[in-house]
């Protein structure tokens, strides 16, 4: 210890650099509500609007599923298909490295591409995470009662897609959009004039909505997949169907009114007394929550100017909980300083000792963010709760070392000898105390399932905070104490 005490400038400059690195690390840390816990599940999404469900199952889903059965650690596989969309859910054993599994899944998808029809869009793999909880919900409503359907179109096709383009946003999930269906209303008078019946209309619709499948044509070394389809996709396709009336050809629109109408709804989204469309905004795992919130706020301001007939409201804002936790950490730190001042004045009778203790706590707390950065941890309510706990332990370490140095000084030792002796005596006791504290929280990491993964951040916060506090207490604190006195 005498070696360090005789070199105060080197020690202070080293810790000043450590504090600067800690501040830079803090600004670079991702901020989220929960730790980034990988859920052992991967979903494969396949889309093709030109295929029926049976064709999609046989030509796309089945070849991909056969390849995915070879993935290591696979516990369960399920597939679901409907017109134009196929989903394969892969469930892995808990503890499986989902990053490696994700890479392997994509390799199997690439291998299956040779078996898929030419021109098929590559299946998309989606990895689940605990950070997929929406950060907040954006409610969109129309100022005019008759403008709701137009508002839903803007919300789904413009606003949601623009939000998803933000680099901080992983996904924007929209709810409250009414489902539409096609309504065909025959004109009885015109039907009689043209000699048509309802059966003629039904036959025309059935004959013009046919999926004939596909066939392979070989030309020398080349092989082509040809698909013939007459599926009806929108209202114009239905309205333009030709009907035979005697020797004449007429269109369906000539004898029927064809329009899209909202179906009878099973549920809807409301905010207060108004009907709204709700967009759940999910953050990227490695992005800051504050940065995402600022980007979305700027985008909403732009939308308010672009669409003056729409109103925007943010609800269920999870960032408020995180702000409260950070505010709680700051409040505990301030209360800790006040208690230190009171304890130092009442029992030690010295204001300078309390300043030394407070300075060591600040350095310890800022320095704790350095291992956070290098180990890829995020600031969330779990890790921040660990920091709140460890602040009190930091105060104990600094207070014990300062008190022991003061006792050696009161015995008549020189200031340099008191700093050296007082600190050296505390090296082993503080190390033992830190180990016993860490031993209480480390077993949380070995809890099975999601609970163990969740509390791992708290155990890491406490272990990192105690390690940094121990280093500051036995290296920097005696040097600063000597300079202060």
């Amino acid at each position: 210890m005498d070696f360090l005490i005789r070199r105060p400038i080197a020690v202070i400059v080293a810790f000043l650099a450590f504090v600067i690195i800690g501040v830079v690390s803090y600004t670079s840390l991702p901020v989220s509500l929960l730790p980034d816990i990988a859920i052992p599940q991967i979903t494969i999404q396949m889309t093709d609007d030109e295929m029926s469900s049976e064709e999609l199952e046989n030509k796309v889903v089945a070849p991909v599923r056969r390849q995915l059965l070879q993935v290591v650690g696979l516990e369960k596989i399920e597939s679901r298909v409907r017109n134009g969309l196929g989903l394969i859910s892969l469930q892995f054993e808990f503890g499986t490295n989902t990053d490696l599994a994700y890479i392997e899944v994509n390799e199997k998808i690439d291998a299956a591409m040779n078996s898929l029809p030419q021109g098929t869009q590559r299946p998309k793999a989606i990895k689940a995470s605990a950070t997929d909880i929406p950060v907040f919900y954006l409610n969109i409503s129309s100022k005019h009662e008759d403008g709701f359907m137009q508002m839903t179109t803007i919300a789904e096709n413009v606003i949601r897609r623009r939000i998803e383009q933000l680099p901080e946003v992983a996904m924007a999930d929209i709810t409250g959009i009414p489902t539409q269906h096609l309504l065909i209303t025959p004109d009885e008078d015109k039907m009689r004039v043209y000699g048509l019946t309802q059966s003629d209309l039904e036959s025309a619709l059935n004959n013009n909505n046919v999926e004939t499948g596909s066939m392979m044509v070989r030309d020398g070394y080349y092989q082509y997949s040809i698909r013939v389809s007459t599926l009806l996709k929108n209202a114009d396709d239905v309205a333009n169907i030709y009907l035979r009336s005697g020797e004449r050809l007429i269109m369906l629109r000539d004898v029927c009114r064809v329009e899209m109408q909202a179906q009878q709804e099973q549920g809807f989204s409301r905010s207060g007394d108004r009907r709204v469309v709700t967009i759940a905004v999910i953050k990227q795992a490695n992005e800051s929550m504050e940065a995402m919130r600022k980007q979305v706020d700027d985008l909403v301001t732009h939308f308010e100017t672009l669409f003056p007939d729409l109103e925007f409201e943010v609800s269920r804002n999870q960032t408020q909980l995180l702000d409260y936790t950070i505010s709680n950490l700051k409040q505990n730190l301030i209360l800790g300083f006040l208690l230190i001042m009171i304890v130092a004045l009442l029992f030690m009778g010295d204001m300078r000792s309390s300043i030394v203790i407070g300075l060591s706590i600040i350095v310890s707390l800022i320095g704790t963010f350095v291992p956070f950065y290098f180990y890829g941890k995020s600031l969330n309510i779990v890790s921040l709760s660990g920091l709140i706990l460890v602040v009190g332990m930091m105060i104990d370490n600094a207070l014990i070392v300062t008190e022991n140095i003061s006792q050696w000084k009161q015995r008549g030792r020189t200031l340099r000898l008191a700093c050296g002796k007082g600190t050296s005596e505390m090296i082993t006791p503080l190390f033992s105390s830190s180990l016993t504290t860490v031993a209480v929280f480390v077993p949380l990491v070995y809890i099975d399932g999601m609970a163990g993964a969740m509390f791992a951040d708290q155990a890491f916060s406490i272990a990192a905070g105690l390690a940094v506090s121990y280093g500051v207490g036995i290296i920097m604190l005696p040097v600063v104490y000597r300079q202060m006195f």
Side-chain angles (χ1 to χ4, degrees):
M1 290 305 304
D2 190 61
F3 174 80
L4 296 174
I5 292 173
R6 286 188 284 109
R7 291 166 175 80
I9 296 178
V11 173
I12 292 174
V13 169
F15 274 91
L16 182 61
F18 183 63
V19 170
I20 294 174
I21 295 173
V23 172
V24 174
S25 299
Y26 173 76
T27 57
S28 304
L29 289 177
V31 182
S32 58
L33 185 65
L34 294 174
D36 184 17
I37 303 171
I39 299 174
Q41 181 176 338
I42 297 177
T43 303
I44 316 301
Q45 184 178 12
M46 294 147 286
T47 57
D48 194 327
D49 295 334
E50 302 294 332
M51 290 188 181
S52 63
S53 58
E54 183 178 359
E55 190 177 8
L56 186 64
E57 164 66 25
N58 296 331
K59 294 186 176 181
V60 180
V61 176
V64 174
R65 187 171 58 239
R66 284 194 295 268
Q67 287 288 338
L68 294 174
L69 287 172
Q70 306 172 31
V71 176
V72 178
L74 184 61
E75 189 176 70
K76 184 179 180 182
I77 182 170
E78 293 180 347
S79 62
R80 300 183 299 276
V81 180
R82 64 174 184 264
N83 286 340
L85 176 64
L87 295 174
I88 299 178
S89 298
L90 305 178
Q91 187 75 34
F92 296 88
E93 300 172 358
F94 191 85
T96 301
N97 189 326
T98 53
D99 292 331
L100 296 179
Y102 185 74
I103 295 173
E104 187 177 1
V105 165
N106 280 280
E107 291 176 351
K108 299 303 181 184
I109 292 175
D110 292 334
M113 288 299 294
N114 296 325
S115 305
L116 304 185
Q118 188 176 6
T120 301
Q121 186 177 1
R122 185 186 185 279
K124 181 181 180 182
I126 304 172
K127 184 173 61 172
S129 172
T131 55
D132 291 344
I133 298 175
V135 175
F136 54 82
Y137 294 80
L138 180 64
N139 299 322
I140 308 170
S141 60
S142 175
K143 295 180 180 178
H144 309 288
E145 293 183 1
D146 57 348
F148 180 76
M149 294 303 298
Q150 182 181 3
M151 181 267 293
T152 59
T153 304
I154 296 174
E156 185 173 19
N157 298 326
V158 179
I159 299 176
R160 180 182 67 86
R161 294 184 181 182
R162 184 65 187 90
I163 290 176
E164 284 187 335
Q165 291 174 358
L166 296 176
E168 295 84 4
V169 176
M171 184 175 67
D173 185 25
I174 190 167
T175 56
I177 300 292
T179 305
Q180 293 183 323
H181 67 163
L182 185 68
L183 179 64
I184 303 175
T185 307
D187 188 324
E188 297 294 340
D189 295 334
K190 292 182 179 180
M191 293 275 290
R192 283 194 297 270
V193 169
Y194 288 107
L196 298 175
T197 63
Q198 186 172 345
S199 299
D200 295 331
L201 298 181
E202 294 176 355
S203 299
L205 290 172
N206 292 329
N207 294 334
N208 285 273
N209 191 38
V210 179
E211 176 62 61
T212 58
S214 60
M215 59 182 176
M216 303 301 297
V217 177
R218 186 180 298 275
D219 181 15
Y221 291 102
Y222 300 98
Q223 183 173 298
Y224 303 94
S225 176
I226 299 177
R227 181 185 298 114
V228 180
S229 176
T230 59
L231 291 177
L232 301 173
K233 298 185 179 301
N234 50 52
D236 289 337
D237 291 345
V238 175
N240 293 330
I241 291 177
Y242 283 96
L243 302 172
R244 180 174 293 276
S245 174
E247 299 298 326
R248 300 176 58 186
L249 285 177
I250 62 172
M251 287 187 176
L252 187 71
R253 69 170 75 229
D254 296 331
V255 294
C256 298
R257 186 173 73 252
V258 181
E259 58 184 344
M260 298 296 297
Q261 286 192 352
Q263 283 186 344
Q264 184 176 1
E265 298 173 85
Q266 302 297 322
F268 50 87
S269 179
R270 297 188 69 89
S271 176
D273 59 346
R274 296 176 301 174
R275 185 172 180 183
V276 299
V277 170
T278 302
I279 300 178
V281 183
I282 300 173
K283 182 183 71 69
Q284 290 281 6
N286 58 348
E287 294 291 343
S288 170
M289 190 177 294
E290 184 65 30
M292 189 202 74
R293 183 171 56 182
K294 183 179 183 303
Q295 290 288 340
V296 174
D297 288 344
D298 294 340
L299 195 59
V300 168
T301 302
H302 172 69
F303 285 144
E304 288 175 342
T305 305
L306 193 62
F307 305 110
D309 292 335
L310 303 184
E311 292 183 353
F312 300 84
E313 177 193 9
V314 174
S315 64
R316 288 175 280 179
N317 191 349
Q318 302 295 334
T319 60
Q320 295 176 353
L321 178 59
L322 189 65
D323 291 340
Y324 172 77
T325 307
I326 296 176
S327 175
N328 194 15
L329 176 63
K330 295 178 180 178
Q331 183 179 357
N332 277 271
L333 191 58
I334 295 173
L335 291 176
F337 281 132
L338 293 177
L339 289 176
I340 289 170
M341 297 295 182
I342 295 173
V343 170
L345 289 175
L346 293 180
F347 297 98
M348 302 179 67
D350 193 352
M351 178 63 72
R352 286 179 291 181
S353 297
S354 61
I355 295 175
V356 172
I357 296 172
L359 186 62
S360 67
I361 294 173
I362 294 175
V363 174
S364 300
L365 187 60
I366 296 176
T368 304
F369 297 122
V370 176
F372 265 69
Y373 176 80
F374 285 104
Y375 281 90
K377 299 295 182 179
S378 66
L379 291 178
N380 51 74
I381 58 174
V382 179
S383 60
L384 287 175
S385 65
L387 287 177
I388 293 174
L389 290 174
V390 84
V391 166
M393 304 172 192
M394 292 176 180
I395 296 174
D396 293 340
N397 292 344
L399 190 61
I400 290 171
V401 174
T402 304
E403 174 63 21
N404 203 45
I405 293 174
S406 300
Q407 288 183 2
W408 276 98
K409 190 175 65 171
Q410 291 173 4
R411 296 174 188 172
R413 301 295 195 276
T414 62
L415 185 59
R416 193 179 76 181
L417 183 61
C419 291
K421 286 285 187 181
T423 306
S424 298
E425 282 186 352
M426 292 293 105
I427 291 177
T428 302
L430 284 181
F431 184 71
S432 301
S433 175
S434 298
L435 285 182
T436 54
T437 303
V438 171
V440 175
F441 292 94
V442 167
L444 294 175
V445 180
Y446 297 99
I447 299 176
D448 294 334
M450 294 289 293
M454 181 72 71
F455 287 103
D457 275 27
Q458 186 183 61
F460 178 85
S461 301
I462 294 173
L466 286 176
V468 174
S469 175
Y470 177 75
V472 171
I474 65 174
I475 298 175
M476 190 198 79
L477 191 146
V479 174
V480 174
Y481 187 97
R482 186 188 176 196
Q483 297 302 310
M484 288 292 294
F485 285 88

